[in-house]
Amino acid sequence: QVQLVESGGGSVQSGGSLRLSCAASGYTYNGYCMGWFRQAPGKGREGVAQIDRDGRTTYADSVKGRFTISQDNAKNTLYLQMNSLKPEDTAMYYCAARNFYCSFYIREYDYNYWGQGTQVTVSS
């Protein structure tokens, strides 16, 4: 059974940084893709970044140059380093995993497993 547990969310001022973590257990697939999504109040879930087993990454245009997705395979942990945070980055952030290789796009319906989310609030 796959379990994803996020941590690291919190409140920060505009321009600040946060690092999110996602501890994964029970997830062992040859086709491997993990990602971060976010959902702001009243909006749909948005793909933020994804990474495959070889470390190839994809980012949403809104976070390119500010966010970095990474992984520690030895610890089965996914990270999202968020720098230069803006109020519009305020959202619940979710870790996700899929049973196949990453697709070109970061799409919610491609993913099979989800964490419970961690809140990120950026004040101006």
Side-chain angles (χ1 to χ4, degrees):
Q1 183 178 355
V2 177
Q3 278 196 315
L4 304 174
V5 180
E6 303 97 335
S7 61
S11 296
V12 65
Q13 289 193 326
S14 183
S17 298
L18 283 172
R19 188 175 82 155
L20 305 183
S21 299
C22 172
S25 60
Y27 179 60
T28 53
Y29 293 96
N30 288 331
Y32 170 103
C33 184
M34 294 192 73
W36 289 98
F37 290 76
R38 66 186 181 186
Q39 187 167 18
K43 295 188 177 181
R45 197 170 291 188
E46 172 192 20
V48 175
Q50 65 185 11
I51 188 168
D52 69 11
R53 187 181 296 279
D54 295 324
R56 289 180 290 243
T57 58
T58 308
Y59 294 93
D61 288 343
S62 58
V63 306
K64 277 181 183 175
R66 300 189 299 122
F67 291 11
T68 302
I69 188 171
S70 63
Q71 59 196 355
D72 184 333
N73 291 332
K75 295 182 179 179
N76 293 325
T77 302
L78 181 73
Y79 302 100
L80 184 68
Q81 178 67 44
M82 304 185 295
N83 299 328
S84 301
L85 282 161
K86 305 175 182 180
E88 51 263 43
D89 294 318
T90 295
M92 184 72 77
Y93 282 71
Y94 298 90
C95 171
R98 64 175 296 190
N99 294 342
F100 202 64
Y101 303 99
C102 289
S103 62
F104 183 79
Y105 300 102
I106 313 170
R107 297 180 298 206
E108 179 181 3
Y109 60 77
D110 284 336
Y111 283 77
N112 307 97
Y113 308 103
W114 294 85
Q116 294 299 307
T118 185
Q119 178 67 38
V120 171
T121 302
V122 185
S123 58
S124 56

